[in-house]
Amino acid sequence: MRRVEGRPTTGSRAVAVLLLATSFLVAVADPAEAKRRGHARKAVSGYNPPYAAMVVDVKSGRTLHAVNEDALRHPASITKVMTLYMLFEQLEKGRYDLDSPLSISANAAAQAPSKLGLRPGSTVTVEEAIKALVTKSANDVACAIGENIAGSEPRFAEMMTRKAKSLGMSRTHYANASGLPDPDQITTAHDLTLLARAIQDRFPRYYRYFQTRSFAFRGRTIGNHNRLLGNVEGVDGIKTGYTRDSGFNLMTAAKLGDRQIVAIVLGGKSGASRDRIMADLVRANLPRAFAGSRQTAPVVEVAERGRPAVVAEADSRTRTVLATADDEDIETTSSTSNAPLDIRPATTTPGSRRTTLQALPGAAQAYAGSAGQAPFPGTAGKSTARLPAVEGVASRAEGPPKDARGDSAKPVTPSPWVIQLGAMDDEDKAKSILADARSRTGMLSKAAPYTVRVTHGGTTLFRARFSGFAEQSTAQDACAALKKNGFNCFATRS
């Protein structure tokens, strides 16, 4: 029988069909093979998230690099920078301290990874929550922060969005506290540079948590996802992020000598490529940053509406709002009277370099740091131990400047713009910080100090403020002068 070369016989065709069917069944039944084939399809599809980047010189405000900086992007876990901004604000107000417990709801515990895996009904401290977001980027903890502050995560997201608008982040909208995928969670590289600067300007003491390389949590050591820390000179934070829709994101701050920048990379194709891009941007642009004194005002929150005066008769009631507060924070309080404010500080031992400012609570010290770098909150003891007393302040035993006493002849009327230094748990402490600020800053020689009593969550605080600023720019200039002398403050409408 003659055989035709290359032409299959009926029997061989049957065998081939049987082998093909067997191979198909094996591939379907083998999860590893199915997974491999799935990855192959993804590779062929050429997943390529949209890219955007921006680098800003902190001192001059100059844009050093920009690509698609105003295009809408998903922030992913960079969202948690705003979540922490909101939590730092609560620490500053005195609602929480670093040891305060945050409860974990069933909703928070059910969040998708990355997370700590906390059980419903359990708690974490505020400090553990901060470190969990900075290092692990824990979604369950981010949700819990929002729920504890606002009562629900959606309400917290609304607060975050309003906060973003007050910072000038006009194209940013938040839908959750974690950055988990949501089509309404959007921002831009430009907006994120504002947030990167604002969180450093407003919370220099707490910002340093972003330098945490790892932390021990209940028998585990959790490392930071930010691979640039310790590997790129000058980098001191701040946050990574990733979802499939966003690509690999990174917000970075870098400081070397007298130069300082913030940088954003969004839509990296991989963590490694994103890190390489950011490292190149830092190395190329940090040497170009301005090395002189800061020329731009700090990024501060701007009130969206005018507010009534906060000084009235002692028996009157007035609504007051912090420049940093959201609508939920509006409180009806008894204001201080319009009687002249005596801001003479308490007497100290001649020659002493520690004054009554050392007794300031954590909420106040967040505004009134030392003239040097703010000390990093430690890991042992109570929050008051983590926030050391202000040092390096000259003795004021001889009393306040003459012009401070001269204010006692007339009442204080808030100007269109005022500046606030802090909210203390005792009015004498508020007066003391006002006196110290005025004695060390010539721009406040004609400003009028006053305090505002507020009650929040059963806690009474006294806001330390200066009046005498007709324009926002002059108020911000005074704040800048205070910051150079070791104080923190912000400008707001009266």
Side-chain angles (χ1 to χ4, degrees):
M1 180 176 68
R2 187 169 64 90
R3 181 169 177 265
V4 178
E5 186 70 23
R7 183 176 180 179
T9 63
T10 301
S12 64
R13 283 198 300 269
V15 171
V17 170
L18 179 61
L19 289 173
L20 180 62
T22 302
S23 300
F24 174 77
L25 291 174
V26 169
V28 171
D30 185 356
E33 175 66 14
K35 185 175 182 180
R36 185 191 68 77
R37 290 173 180 268
H39 283 311
R41 283 195 297 272
K42 290 178 184 177
V44 172
S45 68
Y47 167 63
N48 183 21
Y51 174 78
M54 190 171 187
V55 182
V56 174
D57 182 345
V58 171
K59 287 188 174 182
S60 70
R62 186 165 62 99
T63 298
L64 302 176
H65 174 85
V67 177
N68 298 326
E69 70 275 18
D70 291 318
L72 294 177
R73 299 288 184 263
H74 296 298
S77 283
I78 292 180
T79 296
K80 296 181 177 79
V81 176
M82 179 60 84
T83 301
L84 287 173
Y85 188 104
M86 306 294 285
L87 181 57
F88 294 164
E89 187 174 80
Q90 297 302 313
L91 284 167
E92 186 181 74
K93 292 178 181 178
R95 178 179 176 185
Y96 297 123
D97 60 37
L98 293 172
D99 293 315
S100 296
L102 300 175
S103 59
I104 307 300
S105 69
N107 178 55
Q111 297 298 301
S114 174
K115 62 183 185 178
L116 290 184
L118 300 168
R119 294 181 178 179
S122 62
T123 63
V124 292
T125 66
V126 167
E127 185 171 41
E128 288 173 333
I130 294 170
K131 291 182 177 180
L133 263 62
V134 169
T135 59
K136 181 70 172 175
S137 197
N139 295 322
D140 50 356
V141 177
C143 178
I145 289 172
E147 291 177 338
N148 278 264
I149 290 177
S152 72
E153 189 176 17
R155 189 175 182 216
F156 184 70
E158 293 174 1
M159 292 172 62
M160 293 168 70
T161 300
R162 285 196 297 274
K163 187 66 63 182
K165 304 305 181 191
S166 74
L167 289 170
M169 300 168 64
S170 60
R171 307 199 71 189
T172 295
H173 182 273
Y174 293 105
N176 59 54
S178 62
L180 283 169
D182 190 298
D184 292 331
Q185 191 102 344
I186 55 173
T187 190
T188 67
H190 174 266
D191 280 5
L192 291 178
T193 64
L194 295 174
L195 179 58
R197 294 160 63 191
I199 199 166
Q200 296 179 74
D201 288 341
R202 177 74 190 281
F203 307 107
R205 193 178 304 270
Y206 298 123
Y207 168 76
R208 297 189 69 198
Y209 274 112
F210 288 102
Q211 298 176 6
T212 303
R213 304 281 185 86
S214 66
F215 87 107
F217 180 74
R218 302 176 188 179
R220 290 183 284 165
T221 299
I222 299 174
N224 197 319
H225 292 168
N226 191 346
R227 308 304 181 195
L228 270 61
L229 281 173
N231 292 316
V232 176
E233 188 177 20
V235 170
D236 60 12
I238 93 169
K239 190 74 187 72
T240 62
Y242 169 78
T243 67
R244 180 173 296 180
D245 289 338
S246 73
F248 291 84
N249 299 342
L250 182 58
M251 173 187 286
T252 292
K255 184 176 183 180
L256 194 60
D258 294 325
R259 306 175 195 274
Q260 186 177 4
I261 62 172
V262 294
I264 308 295
V265 169
L266 304 176
K269 293 183 179 180
S270 69
S273 66
R274 170 204 64 194
D275 291 349
R276 284 195 298 271
I277 292 169
M278 181 62 81
D280 289 343
L281 287 175
V282 171
R283 292 178 180 127
N285 290 286
L286 188 53
R288 299 172 55 208
F290 182 62
S293 60
R294 184 163 177 167
Q295 298 177 330
T296 58
V299 178
V300 296
E301 298 153 41
V302 178
E304 296 181 1
R305 60 188 182 282
R307 290 188 288 264
V310 293
V311 174
E313 296 297 331
D315 59 352
S316 69
R317 310 291 286 181
T318 182
R319 290 166 65 81
T320 63
V321 185
L322 277 173
T324 61
D326 298 289
D327 291 346
E328 292 78 19
D329 296 316
I330 297 176
E331 304 153 2
T332 301
T333 67
S334 296
S335 68
T336 56
S337 73
N338 63 350
L341 178 61
D342 180 4
I343 62 170
R344 285 173 291 182
T347 302
T348 58
T349 304
S352 170
R353 294 185 64 82
R354 296 178 71 90
T355 73
T356 53
L357 287 180
Q358 64 186 350
L360 291 178
Q365 292 179 30
Y367 290 92
S370 64
Q373 189 178 33
F376 182 56
T379 56
K382 297 296 182 181
S383 61
T384 52
R386 296 190 181 97
L387 298 174
V390 176
E391 298 191 37
V393 181
S395 170
R396 299 187 304 273
E398 57 273 276
K402 292 181 180 180
D403 59 316
R405 290 191 181 112
D407 287 340
S408 62
K410 55 184 178 181
V412 175
T413 300
S415 53
W417 283 85
V418 299
I419 59 176
Q420 179 166 312
L421 280 76
M424 275 56 84
D425 60 355
D426 182 270
E427 189 169 19
D428 288 338
K429 296 174 184 176
K431 293 178 182 179
S432 179
I433 195 173
L434 288 168
D436 186 51
R438 195 173 196 189
S439 67
R440 295 167 63 186
T441 307
M443 291 188 67
L444 296 176
S445 61
K446 296 183 179 180
Y450 67 104
T451 63
V452 181
R453 180 180 176 178
V454 294
T455 302
H456 185 78
T459 300
T460 298
L461 297 173
F462 295 87
R463 294 171 179 164
R465 291 184 167 184
F466 281 103
S467 176
F469 306 97
E471 304 291 339
Q472 179 184 7
S473 59
T474 55
Q476 290 179 340
D477 288 345
C479 275
L482 282 168
K483 285 176 178 285
K484 291 179 181 179
N485 283 278
F487 294 89
N488 239 327
C489 66
F490 58 91
T492 179
R493 293 187 183 275
S494 61

PDB file of all heavy atoms in Angstrom, residues 458-488:
ATOM      1  N   GLY A 458     -16.427  68.427  74.930  1.00  0.00           N
ATOM      2  CA  GLY A 458     -16.292  68.515  76.375  1.00  0.00           C
ATOM      3  C   GLY A 458     -14.983  69.121  76.836  1.00  0.00           C
ATOM      4  O   GLY A 458     -14.759  69.272  78.033  1.00  0.00           O
ATOM      5  N   THR A 459     -14.103  69.472  75.904  1.00  0.00           N
ATOM      6  CA  THR A 459     -12.804  70.062  76.243  1.00  0.00           C
ATOM      7  C   THR A 459     -12.817  71.554  75.922  1.00  0.00           C
ATOM      8  O   THR A 459     -13.234  71.964  74.833  1.00  0.00           O
ATOM      9  CB  THR A 459     -11.674  69.382  75.450  1.00  0.00           C
ATOM     10  OG1 THR A 459     -11.659  67.993  75.762  1.00  0.00           O
ATOM     11  CG2 THR A 459     -10.323  70.003  75.793  1.00  0.00           C
ATOM     12  N   THR A 460     -12.371  72.357  76.865  1.00  0.00           N
ATOM     13  CA  THR A 460     -12.288  73.805  76.666  1.00  0.00           C
ATOM     14  C   THR A 460     -10.858  74.180  76.295  1.00  0.00           C
ATOM     15  O   THR A 460      -9.909  73.785  76.975  1.00  0.00           O
ATOM     16  CB  THR A 460     -12.708  74.566  77.926  1.00  0.00           C
ATOM     17  OG1 THR A 460     -14.077  74.252  78.218  1.00  0.00           O
ATOM     18  CG2 THR A 460     -12.582  76.070  77.726  1.00  0.00           C
ATOM     19  N   LEU A 461     -10.727  74.925  75.204  1.00  0.00           N
ATOM     20  CA  LEU A 461      -9.422  75.388  74.744  1.00  0.00           C
ATOM     21  C   LEU A 461      -9.464  76.891  74.537  1.00  0.00           C
ATOM     22  O   LEU A 461     -10.538  77.488  74.375  1.00  0.00           O
ATOM     23  CB  LEU A 461      -9.042  74.703  73.431  1.00  0.00           C
ATOM     24  CG  LEU A 461      -8.875  73.177  73.452  1.00  0.00           C
ATOM     25  CD1 LEU A 461      -8.682  72.650  72.034  1.00  0.00           C
ATOM     26  CD2 LEU A 461      -7.712  72.762  74.333  1.00  0.00           C
ATOM     27  N   PHE A 462      -8.277  77.501  74.538  1.00  0.00           N
ATOM     28  CA  PHE A 462      -8.154  78.941  74.339  1.00  0.00           C
ATOM     29  C   PHE A 462      -7.245  79.188  73.137  1.00  0.00           C
ATOM     30  O   PHE A 462      -6.054  78.862  73.176  1.00  0.00           O
ATOM     31  CB  PHE A 462      -7.592  79.609  75.593  1.00  0.00           C
ATOM     32  CG  PHE A 462      -8.502  79.503  76.785  1.00  0.00           C
ATOM     33  CD1 PHE A 462      -8.439  78.389  77.608  1.00  0.00           C
ATOM     34  CD2 PHE A 462      -9.430  80.492  77.066  1.00  0.00           C
ATOM     35  CE1 PHE A 462      -9.286  78.264  78.701  1.00  0.00           C
ATOM     36  CE2 PHE A 462     -10.280  80.378  78.158  1.00  0.00           C
ATOM     37  CZ  PHE A 462     -10.216  79.263  78.977  1.00  0.00           C
ATOM     38  N   ARG A 463      -7.826  79.735  72.085  1.00  0.00           N
ATOM     39  CA  ARG A 463      -7.063  80.011  70.885  1.00  0.00           C
ATOM     40  C   ARG A 463      -6.266  81.302  71.057  1.00  0.00           C
ATOM     41  O   ARG A 463      -6.813  82.320  71.482  1.00  0.00           O
ATOM     42  CB  ARG A 463      -7.992  80.129  69.682  1.00  0.00           C
ATOM     43  CG  ARG A 463      -8.675  78.815  69.341  1.00  0.00           C
ATOM     44  CD  ARG A 463      -9.743  78.989  68.294  1.00  0.00           C
ATOM     45  NE  ARG A 463     -10.359  77.701  67.972  1.00  0.00           N
ATOM     46  CZ  ARG A 463     -11.513  77.571  67.331  1.00  0.00           C
ATOM     47  NH1 ARG A 463     -12.173  78.645  66.936  1.00  0.00           N
ATOM     48  NH2 ARG A 463     -11.996  76.383  67.075  1.00  0.00           N
ATOM     49  N   ALA A 464      -4.994  81.241  70.730  1.00  0.00           N
ATOM     50  CA  ALA A 464      -4.106  82.399  70.847  1.00  0.00           C
ATOM     51  C   ALA A 464      -3.997  83.076  69.487  1.00  0.00           C
ATOM     52  O   ALA A 464      -3.498  82.480  68.530  1.00  0.00           O
ATOM     53  CB  ALA A 464      -2.731  81.955  71.329  1.00  0.00           C
ATOM     54  N   ARG A 465      -4.452  84.328  69.391  1.00  0.00           N
ATOM     55  CA  ARG A 465      -4.528  85.007  68.106  1.00  0.00           C
ATOM     56  C   ARG A 465      -3.969  86.422  68.161  1.00  0.00           C
ATOM     57  O   ARG A 465      -3.925  87.035  69.218  1.00  0.00           O
ATOM     58  CB  ARG A 465      -5.982  85.058  67.619  1.00  0.00           C
ATOM     59  CG  ARG A 465      -6.551  83.699  67.214  1.00  0.00           C
ATOM     60  CD  ARG A 465      -7.951  83.824  66.663  1.00  0.00           C
ATOM     61  NE  ARG A 465      -8.378  82.595  66.012  1.00  0.00           N
ATOM     62  CZ  ARG A 465      -9.531  82.446  65.369  1.00  0.00           C
ATOM     63  NH1 ARG A 465     -10.384  83.462  65.297  1.00  0.00           N
ATOM     64  NH2 ARG A 465      -9.836  81.310  64.804  1.00  0.00           N
ATOM     65  N   PHE A 466      -3.574  86.923  66.995  1.00  0.00           N
ATOM     66  CA  PHE A 466      -3.189  88.313  66.814  1.00  0.00           C
ATOM     67  C   PHE A 466      -4.103  88.955  65.775  1.00  0.00           C
ATOM     68  O   PHE A 466      -4.343  88.376  64.700  1.00  0.00           O
ATOM     69  CB  PHE A 466      -1.740  88.435  66.334  1.00  0.00           C
ATOM     70  CG  PHE A 466      -0.717  88.278  67.414  1.00  0.00           C
ATOM     71  CD1 PHE A 466      -0.012  87.099  67.559  1.00  0.00           C
ATOM     72  CD2 PHE A 466      -0.449  89.328  68.301  1.00  0.00           C
ATOM     73  CE1 PHE A 466       0.938  86.954  68.560  1.00  0.00           C
ATOM     74  CE2 PHE A 466       0.498  89.191  69.300  1.00  0.00           C
ATOM     75  CZ  PHE A 466       1.184  88.005  69.440  1.00  0.00           C
ATOM     76  N   SER A 467      -4.602  90.145  66.098  1.00  0.00           N
ATOM     77  CA  SER A 467      -5.376  90.950  65.155  1.00  0.00           C
ATOM     78  C   SER A 467      -4.486  92.072  64.628  1.00  0.00           C
ATOM     79  O   SER A 467      -3.431  92.352  65.186  1.00  0.00           O
ATOM     80  CB  SER A 467      -6.602  91.538  65.865  1.00  0.00           C
ATOM     81  OG  SER A 467      -7.316  92.398  65.005  1.00  0.00           O
ATOM     82  N   GLY A 468      -4.943  92.721  63.546  1.00  0.00           N
ATOM     83  CA  GLY A 468      -4.196  93.846  63.019  1.00  0.00           C
ATOM     84  C   GLY A 468      -3.745  93.681  61.590  1.00  0.00           C
ATOM     85  O   GLY A 468      -2.785  94.332  61.155  1.00  0.00           O
ATOM     86  N   PHE A 469      -4.448  92.824  60.817  1.00  0.00           N
ATOM     87  CA  PHE A 469      -4.023  92.547  59.451  1.00  0.00           C
ATOM     88  C   PHE A 469      -5.192  92.792  58.502  1.00  0.00           C
ATOM     89  O   PHE A 469      -6.195  92.068  58.517  1.00  0.00           O
ATOM     90  CB  PHE A 469      -3.534  91.102  59.328  1.00  0.00           C
ATOM     91  CG  PHE A 469      -2.462  90.764  60.318  1.00  0.00           C
ATOM     92  CD1 PHE A 469      -2.781  90.111  61.510  1.00  0.00           C
ATOM     93  CD2 PHE A 469      -1.145  91.117  60.093  1.00  0.00           C
ATOM     94  CE1 PHE A 469      -1.813  89.804  62.434  1.00  0.00           C
ATOM     95  CE2 PHE A 469      -0.167  90.822  61.019  1.00  0.00           C
ATOM     96  CZ  PHE A 469      -0.492  90.173  62.199  1.00  0.00           C
ATOM     97  N   ALA A 470      -5.060  93.796  57.671  1.00  0.00           N
ATOM     98  CA  ALA A 470      -6.126  94.134  56.734  1.00  0.00           C
ATOM     99  C   ALA A 470      -6.130  93.209  55.531  1.00  0.00           C
ATOM    100  O   ALA A 470      -7.180  92.974  54.918  1.00  0.00           O
ATOM    101  CB  ALA A 470      -5.976  95.582  56.275  1.00  0.00           C
ATOM    102  N   GLU A 471      -4.971  92.673  55.180  1.00  0.00           N
ATOM    103  CA  GLU A 471      -4.857  91.840  53.992  1.00  0.00           C
ATOM    104  C   GLU A 471      -4.325  90.459  54.343  1.00  0.00           C
ATOM    105  O   GLU A 471      -3.585  90.288  55.323  1.00  0.00           O
ATOM    106  CB  GLU A 471      -3.908  92.490  52.961  1.00  0.00           C
ATOM    107  CG  GLU A 471      -4.309  93.895  52.545  1.00  0.00           C
ATOM    108  CD  GLU A 471      -5.589  93.899  51.710  1.00  0.00           C
ATOM    109  OE1 GLU A 471      -5.904  92.838  51.135  1.00  0.00           O
ATOM    110  OE2 GLU A 471      -6.242  94.949  51.640  1.00  0.00           O
ATOM    111  N   GLN A 472      -4.683  89.481  53.538  1.00  0.00           N
ATOM    112  CA  GLN A 472      -4.204  88.119  53.738  1.00  0.00           C
ATOM    113  C   GLN A 472      -2.679  88.060  53.644  1.00  0.00           C
ATOM    114  O   GLN A 472      -2.017  87.365  54.404  1.00  0.00           O
ATOM    115  CB  GLN A 472      -4.821  87.186  52.705  1.00  0.00           C
ATOM    116  CG  GLN A 472      -4.354  85.730  52.817  1.00  0.00           C
ATOM    117  CD  GLN A 472      -4.929  84.859  51.710  1.00  0.00           C
ATOM    118  OE1 GLN A 472      -5.560  85.352  50.790  1.00  0.00           O
ATOM    119  NE2 GLN A 472      -4.720  83.562  51.816  1.00  0.00           N
ATOM    120  N   SER A 473      -2.118  88.817  52.710  1.00  0.00           N
ATOM    121  CA  SER A 473      -0.676  88.762  52.484  1.00  0.00           C
ATOM    122  C   SER A 473       0.113  89.220  53.702  1.00  0.00           C
ATOM    123  O   SER A 473       1.152  88.631  54.040  1.00  0.00           O
ATOM    124  CB  SER A 473      -0.296  89.607  51.269  1.00  0.00           C
ATOM    125  OG  SER A 473      -0.686  90.963  51.460  1.00  0.00           O
ATOM    126  N   THR A 474      -0.363  90.271  54.371  1.00  0.00           N
ATOM    127  CA  THR A 474       0.368  90.750  55.544  1.00  0.00           C
ATOM    128  C   THR A 474       0.271  89.751  56.689  1.00  0.00           C
ATOM    129  O   THR A 474       1.229  89.563  57.441  1.00  0.00           O
ATOM    130  CB  THR A 474      -0.176  92.115  55.993  1.00  0.00           C
ATOM    131  OG1 THR A 474      -1.591  92.017  56.226  1.00  0.00           O
ATOM    132  CG2 THR A 474       0.080  93.178  54.948  1.00  0.00           C
ATOM    133  N   ALA A 475      -0.884  89.101  56.820  1.00  0.00           N
ATOM    134  CA  ALA A 475      -1.032  88.079  57.854  1.00  0.00           C
ATOM    135  C   ALA A 475      -0.098  86.901  57.583  1.00  0.00           C
ATOM    136  O   ALA A 475       0.553  86.371  58.489  1.00  0.00           O
ATOM    137  CB  ALA A 475      -2.479  87.610  57.933  1.00  0.00           C
ATOM    138  N   GLN A 476      -0.012  86.489  56.330  1.00  0.00           N
ATOM    139  CA  GLN A 476       0.872  85.379  55.980  1.00  0.00           C
ATOM    140  C   GLN A 476       2.336  85.759  56.146  1.00  0.00           C
ATOM    141  O   GLN A 476       3.160  84.918  56.542  1.00  0.00           O
ATOM    142  CB  GLN A 476       0.582  84.934  54.549  1.00  0.00           C
ATOM    143  CG  GLN A 476      -0.768  84.241  54.396  1.00  0.00           C
ATOM    144  CD  GLN A 476      -1.053  83.832  52.964  1.00  0.00           C
ATOM    145  OE1 GLN A 476      -0.467  84.358  52.020  1.00  0.00           O
ATOM    146  NE2 GLN A 476      -1.971  82.894  52.793  1.00  0.00           N
ATOM    147  N   ASP A 477       2.679  87.019  55.869  1.00  0.00           N
ATOM    148  CA  ASP A 477       4.057  87.464  56.088  1.00  0.00           C
ATOM    149  C   ASP A 477       4.419  87.401  57.569  1.00  0.00           C
ATOM    150  O   ASP A 477       5.542  87.022  57.934  1.00  0.00           O
ATOM    151  CB  ASP A 477       4.235  88.898  55.572  1.00  0.00           C
ATOM    152  CG  ASP A 477       4.238  88.973  54.057  1.00  0.00           C
ATOM    153  OD1 ASP A 477       4.392  87.921  53.411  1.00  0.00           O
ATOM    154  OD2 ASP A 477       4.067  90.089  53.524  1.00  0.00           O
ATOM    155  N   ALA A 478       3.469  87.779  58.420  1.00  0.00           N
ATOM    156  CA  ALA A 478       3.719  87.701  59.862  1.00  0.00           C
ATOM    157  C   ALA A 478       3.909  86.261  60.302  1.00  0.00           C
ATOM    158  O   ALA A 478       4.767  85.961  61.140  1.00  0.00           O
ATOM    159  CB  ALA A 478       2.567  88.349  60.628  1.00  0.00           C
ATOM    160  N   CYS A 479       3.113  85.363  59.737  1.00  0.00           N
ATOM    161  CA  CYS A 479       3.271  83.939  60.055  1.00  0.00           C
ATOM    162  C   CYS A 479       4.648  83.440  59.620  1.00  0.00           C
ATOM    163  O   CYS A 479       5.297  82.665  60.331  1.00  0.00           O
ATOM    164  CB  CYS A 479       2.181  83.119  59.373  1.00  0.00           C
ATOM    165  SG  CYS A 479       0.644  83.014  60.298  1.00  0.00           S
ATOM    166  N   ALA A 480       5.072  83.868  58.447  1.00  0.00           N
ATOM    167  CA  ALA A 480       6.384  83.441  57.961  1.00  0.00           C
ATOM    168  C   ALA A 480       7.488  83.909  58.904  1.00  0.00           C
ATOM    169  O   ALA A 480       8.445  83.180  59.188  1.00  0.00           O
ATOM    170  CB  ALA A 480       6.611  83.991  56.550  1.00  0.00           C
ATOM    171  N   ALA A 481       7.355  85.129  59.412  1.00  0.00           N
ATOM    172  CA  ALA A 481       8.340  85.638  60.368  1.00  0.00           C
ATOM    173  C   ALA A 481       8.309  84.831  61.661  1.00  0.00           C
ATOM    174  O   ALA A 481       9.360  84.546  62.255  1.00  0.00           O
ATOM    175  CB  ALA A 481       8.065  87.118  60.658  1.00  0.00           C
ATOM    176  N   LEU A 482       7.118  84.455  62.098  1.00  0.00           N
ATOM    177  CA  LEU A 482       7.004  83.635  63.308  1.00  0.00           C
ATOM    178  C   LEU A 482       7.651  82.268  63.108  1.00  0.00           C
ATOM    179  O   LEU A 482       8.324  81.760  64.008  1.00  0.00           O
ATOM    180  CB  LEU A 482       5.530  83.467  63.687  1.00  0.00           C
ATOM    181  CG  LEU A 482       4.869  84.646  64.394  1.00  0.00           C
ATOM    182  CD1 LEU A 482       3.362  84.464  64.455  1.00  0.00           C
ATOM    183  CD2 LEU A 482       5.418  84.798  65.813  1.00  0.00           C
ATOM    184  N   LYS A 483       7.436  81.680  61.952  1.00  0.00           N
ATOM    185  CA  LYS A 483       8.019  80.363  61.688  1.00  0.00           C
ATOM    186  C   LYS A 483       9.544  80.409  61.732  1.00  0.00           C
ATOM    187  O   LYS A 483      10.184  79.469  62.205  1.00  0.00           O
ATOM    188  CB  LYS A 483       7.540  79.844  60.335  1.00  0.00           C
ATOM    189  CG  LYS A 483       6.098  79.340  60.352  1.00  0.00           C
ATOM    190  CD  LYS A 483       5.641  78.936  58.957  1.00  0.00           C
ATOM    191  CE  LYS A 483       4.231  78.383  58.988  1.00  0.00           C
ATOM    192  NZ  LYS A 483       4.152  77.034  59.527  1.00  0.00           N
ATOM    193  N   LYS A 484      10.119  81.515  61.255  1.00  0.00           N
ATOM    194  CA  LYS A 484      11.575  81.643  61.304  1.00  0.00           C
ATOM    195  C   LYS A 484      12.085  81.713  62.739  1.00  0.00           C
ATOM    196  O   LYS A 484      13.251  81.438  63.000  1.00  0.00           O
ATOM    197  CB  LYS A 484      12.012  82.889  60.533  1.00  0.00           C
ATOM    198  CG  LYS A 484      11.819  82.790  59.027  1.00  0.00           C
ATOM    199  CD  LYS A 484      12.258  84.060  58.329  1.00  0.00           C
ATOM    200  CE  LYS A 484      12.051  83.966  56.824  1.00  0.00           C
ATOM    201  NZ  LYS A 484      12.461  85.219  56.128  1.00  0.00           N
ATOM    202  N   ASN A 485      11.191  82.089  63.655  1.00  0.00           N
ATOM    203  CA  ASN A 485      11.566  82.175  65.062  1.00  0.00           C
ATOM    204  C   ASN A 485      11.087  80.974  65.865  1.00  0.00           C
ATOM    205  O   ASN A 485      11.023  81.017  67.093  1.00  0.00           O
ATOM    206  CB  ASN A 485      11.003  83.467  65.671  1.00  0.00           C
ATOM    207  CG  ASN A 485      11.807  84.691  65.275  1.00  0.00           C
ATOM    208  OD1 ASN A 485      12.835  84.994  65.852  1.00  0.00           O
ATOM    209  ND2 ASN A 485      11.338  85.392  64.229  1.00  0.00           N
ATOM    210  N   GLY A 486      10.714  79.893  65.169  1.00  0.00           N
ATOM    211  CA  GLY A 486      10.388  78.653  65.857  1.00  0.00           C
ATOM    212  C   GLY A 486       8.935  78.440  66.173  1.00  0.00           C
ATOM    213  O   GLY A 486       8.599  77.486  66.875  1.00  0.00           O
ATOM    214  N   PHE A 487       8.053  79.300  65.682  1.00  0.00           N
ATOM    215  CA  PHE A 487       6.623  79.139  65.946  1.00  0.00           C
ATOM    216  C   PHE A 487       5.934  78.584  64.692  1.00  0.00           C
ATOM    217  O   PHE A 487       6.432  78.701  63.589  1.00  0.00           O
ATOM    218  CB  PHE A 487       5.983  80.478  66.309  1.00  0.00           C
ATOM    219  CG  PHE A 487       6.473  81.057  67.607  1.00  0.00           C
ATOM    220  CD1 PHE A 487       7.577  81.893  67.629  1.00  0.00           C
ATOM    221  CD2 PHE A 487       5.845  80.767  68.809  1.00  0.00           C
ATOM    222  CE1 PHE A 487       8.045  82.427  68.814  1.00  0.00           C
ATOM    223  CE2 PHE A 487       6.307  81.286  69.991  1.00  0.00           C
ATOM    224  CZ  PHE A 487       7.399  82.115  70.000  1.00  0.00           C
ATOM    225  N   ASN A 488       4.753  78.033  64.909  1.00  0.00           N
ATOM    226  CA  ASN A 488       3.900  77.664  63.801  1.00  0.00           C
ATOM    227  C   ASN A 488       2.617  78.454  63.921  1.00  0.00           C
ATOM    228  O   ASN A 488       2.132  78.687  65.029  1.00  0.00           O
ATOM    229  CB  ASN A 488       3.592  76.166  63.811  1.00  0.00           C
ATOM    230  CG  ASN A 488       4.055  75.489  62.528  1.00  0.00           C
ATOM    231  OD1 ASN A 488       4.036  76.094  61.463  1.00  0.00           O
ATOM    232  ND2 ASN A 488       4.467  74.239  62.632  1.00  0.00           N
TER     233      ASN A 488
END
